[in-house]
């Protein structure tokens, strides 16, 4: 089958030629074919909405789940009574103000509208798109055009004719190129069969604009990712807009979210960020979303940003996200859906400090100082032992690499495991890799669930495990070697030789100094003195972080 490409980006040219193309596209539609059409929101995959056979092909070509209804595209409110029943007066009020435009109204359907279009529902979605070419085609076809977004199911929607060609080009009869979509996100879907009306999908028309006209609108919980059995719009329950690499959305003030992304960024991470922050992620695959303050441009670029990662080597994507006002709600919703609602909050009032350093440097005293400031110490060793005794997947992962260390009752033989990894660096690395894989998400979930306040993570392998990425600051606790030798001799009752051996088996202070955000050096002979210093140090640090969170700006603390 050959797809005909109609270039109608410029409608000021040869009038006859343009009319011919419009007639040809309308004819294909009337005869039951599929034509992709430009709209102001995204490209649609159109068919005669009254022809069940044509509509069935839309589902086939898109790979769309059968229970997800299509919307009918019409040329104006005068078409409403033909396809809709029990139309409330506010439908006309809304149409007068916002049509043609990015608003889809859900109304009771007339029996004329086939089940294939409405997925068997007794309601139908109707919208009048704001694109001169498509309006002309619908007018000429003389039938309502059922058109979902032209992407294959699950992919980000298409905002250019090239996107359409890429997704469904060889499976349909025609593609009409009307240039890039000016809105960039799909229409707002509003259910008018209930009172007050209900927002089923945020989109190109901000909910605030409608509320100014018709008063309060309820918001379907699925929009914010709540797991509801039956979201108002069946389409909202599907994973959607997703690039191949997993996406994490970072909410919060732009400066705070940029910092959060910097914290998580790995060598093969990609970033979607506001233009102002693109420079911060140099060397990475970056898709600028538009200026911080311009949601219209952000909406226009959103799907293109999500799409173009697929051709790259990016293995994970971090995305900054505007606030929820105006068009921001739709941008938020699409990004979060693309992320499967995997979201990190950048600017809560929770402060997490990560402490690390060699034995005898004074980590215990430093943690005491944090406790004396009201902080809570998260003991990673405890969490490790907890997952060791409770998480069967974790146990299985260890058992696979270290067969026989668990008995039939799933109890760990610590000695056996210890012997396996003691003095064998590659075996220890293997064990650590498994531990880190399970420990980090566990602690991440714990910290996300924790309330506001001060927390300290105490972990030997803070930097190696990736736990440092949960922290607002990492702190290297360091001390002169001679002092450390004396301290651990006294503390653990061991010989000088053994104390030196233990210190030399660990990483040097330079390592921690180089990798952590700041350093707390413990050169004092008296533990009480060090605790006092440490308390002052943490007090200042916490104040600076609070200040930074308040203003959403980085305070330069130096190393
Ligand atoms: O901007 C748009 O609306 C684009 C362009 C092409 O017009 N179209 C579009 O269609 O986004 P689609 O099929 O990708 O999304 C329509 C959404 C789906 O979430 C669907 O479940 C919902 O609207 N929907 C359609 N009919 C419905 C109905 N009768 N009741 C509830 N939700 C409905
Ligand atoms: Mg869609």
């Amino acid at each position: 089958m050959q797809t005909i490409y109609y270039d109608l980006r410029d409608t000021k040219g040869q009038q006859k030629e343009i009319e011919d193309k419009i007639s040809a596209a309308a004819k294909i539609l009337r005869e039951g074919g599929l034509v992709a059409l430009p709209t102001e929101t995204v490209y649609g995959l159109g068919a005669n909405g009254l022809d069940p056979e044509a509509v069935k092909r839309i589902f086939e070509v898109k790979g769309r789940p059968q229970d997800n209804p299509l919307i009918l595209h019409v040329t104006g409110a005068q078409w409403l009574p033909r396809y809709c029943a029990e139309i409330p007066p506010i439908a006309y009020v809304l149409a007068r103000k916002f049509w043609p435009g990015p608003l889809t109204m859900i109304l009771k359907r007339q029996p004329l509208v086939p089940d294939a279009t409405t997925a068997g529902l007794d309601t139908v979605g109707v919208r009048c798109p704001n694109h001169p070419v498509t309006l002309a085609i619908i007018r000429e076809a003389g039938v309502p055009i059922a058109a979902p977004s032209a992407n294959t199911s699950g992919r980000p929607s298409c905002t250019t004719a090239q996107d359409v060609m890429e997704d469904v080009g060889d499976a349909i009869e025609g593609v009409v190129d009307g240039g890039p979509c000016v809105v960039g996100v799909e229409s707002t879907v509003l259910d008018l069969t209930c009172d007050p009306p209900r927002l089923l999908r945020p989109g190109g028309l901000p909910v605030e604009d409608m509320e100014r006209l018709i008063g309060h609108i309820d918001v379907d919980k699925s929009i914010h990712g709540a797991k509801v059995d039956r979201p108002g719009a069946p389409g909202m329950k599907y994973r959607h807009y997703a690039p191949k690499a997993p996406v994490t959305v970072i909410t919060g003030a732009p400066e705070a979210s940029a910092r959060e992304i910097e914290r998580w960024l790995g060598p093969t991470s990609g970033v979607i960020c506001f233009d102002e922050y693109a420079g911060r992620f140099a060397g990475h695959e970056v898709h600028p979303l538009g200026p911080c303050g311009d949601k219209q441009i952000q909406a226009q670029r959103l799907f293109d940003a999500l799409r173009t990662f697929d051709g790259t080597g990016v293995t994970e994507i971090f995305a900054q996200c505007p606030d929820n006002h105006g068009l921001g709600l739709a941008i938020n919703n699409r990004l979060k859906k693309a992320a499967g609602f995997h979201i990190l909050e950048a600017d809560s009032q929770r402060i997490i400090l990560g402490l690390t350093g060699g034995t005898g440097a004074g980590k215990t005293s430093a943690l005491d100082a944090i406790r004396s400031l009201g902080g809570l110490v998260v003991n990673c060793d405890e969490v490790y032992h907890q997952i060791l005794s409770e998480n069967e997947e974790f146990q299985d992962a260890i058992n696979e690499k270290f067969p026989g260390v668990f008995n039939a009752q799933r109890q760990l033989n610590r000695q056996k495991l210890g012997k396996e990894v003691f003095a064998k660096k590659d075996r220890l690395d293997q064990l650590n890799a498994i531990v880190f894989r399970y420990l980090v998400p566990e602690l991440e979930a714990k910290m996300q669930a924790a309330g506001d306040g001060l927390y300290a993570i105490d972990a030997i392998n803070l930097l190696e495990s990736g736990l440092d990425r949960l922290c607002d600051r990492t702190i290297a606790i360091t001390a002169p070697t001679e002092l450390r030798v004396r301290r651990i001799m006294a503390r653990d009752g061991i010989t000088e030789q053994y104390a030196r051996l233990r210190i030399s088996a660990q990483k040097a202070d330079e390592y921690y100094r180089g990798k952590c955000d700041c350093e707390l050096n413990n050169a004092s002979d008296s533990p009480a003195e060090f605790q006092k210093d440490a308390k002052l140090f943490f007090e200042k640090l916490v104040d600076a972080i609070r200040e930074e969170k308040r203003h959403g700006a980085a305070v330069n603390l130096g190393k």
Side-chain angles (χ1 to χ4, degrees):
M1 184 195 329
Q2 210 196 336
T3 307
I4 307 170
Y5 171 82
Y6 301 98
D7 187 351
L8 285 169
R9 283 173 296 178
D10 178 11
T11 47
K12 290 181 204 72
Q14 276 286 327
Q15 226 32 56
K16 172 80 175 72
E17 203 179 305
I18 292 163
E19 278 164 21
D20 285 350
K21 286 177 184 166
I22 287 172
S23 298
K27 182 163 180 282
I28 299 176
L29 288 165
R30 249 194 335 266
E31 290 173 352
L34 303 192
V35 180
L37 300 167
T39 85
E40 80 283 28
T41 57
V42 299
Y43 273 76
L45 179 53
N48 176 356
L50 303 180
D51 176 349
E53 292 310 313
V55 165
K56 272 184 204 139
R57 266 193 63 217
I58 291 183
F59 283 85
E60 281 165 24
V61 167
K62 270 184 69 91
R64 182 174 174 108
Q66 291 294 332
D67 66 348
N68 194 4
L70 307 180
I71 55 193
L72 289 181
H73 293 67
V74 299
T75 58
Q78 72 280 7
W79 287 40
L80 281 177
R82 294 189 212 167
Y83 312 113
C84 307
E86 301 169 34
I87 306 166
I90 55 163
Y92 291 102
V93 172
L94 286 164
R96 202 170 305 127
K97 174 96 177 163
F98 298 119
W99 275 6
L103 169 65
T104 295
M105 299 194 258
I106 307 294
L107 294 159
K108 288 271 182 250
R109 74 159 155 168
Q110 292 284 8
L112 174 69
V113 183
D115 277 346
T117 299
T118 67
L121 296 179
D122 64 350
T123 55
V124 61
V126 191
R127 124 168 164 91
C128 174
N130 190 11
H131 197 291
V133 170
T134 292
L135 284 174
I137 292 172
I138 303 172
R139 208 169 287 124
E140 172 118 10
V143 289
I145 301 298
S149 49
N151 52 290
T152 44
S153 223
R155 283 208 82 194
S157 302
C158 302
T159 52
T160 65
Q162 286 66 45
D163 291 345
V164 179
M165 296 298 275
E166 189 184 302
D167 271 23
V168 297
D170 46 13
I172 62 179
E173 281 72 49
V175 174
V176 177
D177 189 345
C181 301
V182 292
V183 174
V185 290
E186 301 90 336
S187 61
T188 302
V189 179
L190 187 68
D191 187 353
L192 289 176
T193 65
C194 46
D195 189 20
R198 194 173 189 78
L199 180 72
L200 303 185
R201 177 178 77 178
L205 177 63
V207 69
E208 295 93 330
D209 291 8
M210 294 188 292
E211 283 191 322
R212 263 194 293 280
L213 189 67
I214 60 166
H216 175 75
I217 292 171
D218 278 343
V219 173
D220 203 68
K221 282 202 181 69
S222 63
I223 287 169
H224 298 296
K227 291 228 165 30
V228 288
D229 285 345
R230 275 164 44 103
M236 295 296 278
K237 71 172 175 272
Y238 296 105
R239 181 173 149 84
H240 216 158
Y241 312 118
K244 297 195 176 95
V247 180
T248 300
V249 172
I250 320 282
T251 60
E255 176 61 39
S257 59
R259 276 191 58 116
E260 185 75 17
I261 292 175
E262 282 177 319
R263 185 184 297 170
W264 288 94
L265 211 61
T268 55
S269 306
V271 180
I272 296 175
C273 65
F274 301 122
D275 291 0
E276 292 86 341
Y277 296 89
R280 296 261 280 265
F281 310 109
H284 291 265
E285 185 78 30
V286 175
H287 285 277
L289 197 54
C292 255
D294 195 334
K295 288 173 181 163
Q296 209 169 334
I297 294 184
Q298 293 164 25
Q300 281 169 1
R301 292 198 197 152
L302 177 66
F303 286 132
D304 190 50
L306 287 170
R307 274 183 164 260
T308 43
F309 280 107
D310 280 357
T312 69
V314 162
T315 56
E316 55 180 354
I317 299 163
F318 294 101
Q320 279 189 299
C321 184
D323 62 54
N324 263 326
H325 301 296
L327 265 182
L329 186 63
I331 300 169
N332 259 269
N333 171 263
R334 303 305 189 272
L335 273 172
K336 289 172 181 172
K337 281 194 77 169
F341 288 92
H342 186 247
I343 302 162
L344 290 178
E345 291 168 45
D347 55 1
S348 72
Q349 286 305 304
R350 189 174 46 233
I351 293 178
I352 307 174
L353 305 179
L355 268 60
T356 189
T359 180
K363 259 196 312 165
T364 313
S365 307
L367 289 168
D368 281 342
I370 291 174
R371 281 196 194 90
S372 75
L373 292 172
L376 214 78
V377 174
V378 184
N379 185 333
C380 291
D381 230 34
E382 253 166 42
V383 179
Y384 165 67
H385 283 114
Q386 184 199 334
I387 56 173
L388 203 53
S389 66
E390 289 169 9
N391 187 331
E392 297 196 354
E393 229 182 89
F394 177 54
Q395 297 165 354
D396 291 342
I398 293 185
N399 221 6
E400 197 183 313
K401 274 268 181 294
F402 301 90
V405 295
F406 282 97
N407 67 15
Q409 284 74 49
R410 290 189 168 272
Q411 280 157 341
L412 176 70
N413 185 335
R414 273 169 221 281
Q415 261 172 343
K416 196 163 173 179
L417 184 63
K419 243 181 139 163
E420 273 284 322
V421 298
F422 183 71
K424 277 186 237 155
K425 178 142 183 352
D426 57 327
R427 293 295 271 163
L428 182 62
D429 286 347
Q430 284 171 2
L431 178 64
N432 276 340
I434 301 170
V435 173
F436 299 163
R437 198 162 73 233
Y438 286 86
L439 191 65
V440 175
E442 188 71 29
L443 273 153
E444 189 190 340
K446 260 194 181 8
M447 295 322 301
Q448 285 284 334
D452 291 350
L454 175 62
Y455 297 85
I457 295 185
D458 165 24
I460 311 172
N461 287 312
L462 185 80
L463 305 168
E464 298 75 10
S465 62
L467 277 172
D468 55 333
R469 306 202 291 190
L470 301 179
C471 304
D472 289 288
R473 290 288 189 284
T474 50
I475 299 110
I477 312 292
T478 59
T481 308
E482 291 314 309
L483 265 179
R484 287 173 64 193
V485 170
R486 271 189 274 139
R487 282 190 205 130
I488 54 180
M489 280 168 65
R491 187 187 69 194
D492 302 339
I494 53 175
T495 64
E496 181 181 336
Q497 196 191 9
Y498 193 51
R500 287 192 191 280
L501 196 71
R502 271 180 55 188
I503 290 173
S504 66
Q506 294 184 343
K507 295 200 167 67
D509 278 356
E510 283 68 49
Y511 170 83
Y512 296 109
R513 194 173 289 135
K515 296 224 158 179
C516 288
D517 298 319
C518 29
E519 176 183 3
L520 176 58
N521 186 258
N522 175 6
S524 165
D525 254 337
S526 128
E529 186 113 337
F530 174 58
Q531 258 209 51
K532 226 170 68 201
D533 290 351
K535 194 173 164 187
L536 268 174
F537 172 89
F538 288 121
E539 231 162 15
K540 267 175 69 182
L541 185 61
V542 166
D543 277 352
I545 298 170
R546 285 232 164 88
E547 191 67 10
E548 175 188 319
K549 285 186 190 257
R550 225 183 338 265
H551 297 298
V555 175
N556 187 7
L557 287 156
K559 284 251 166 179

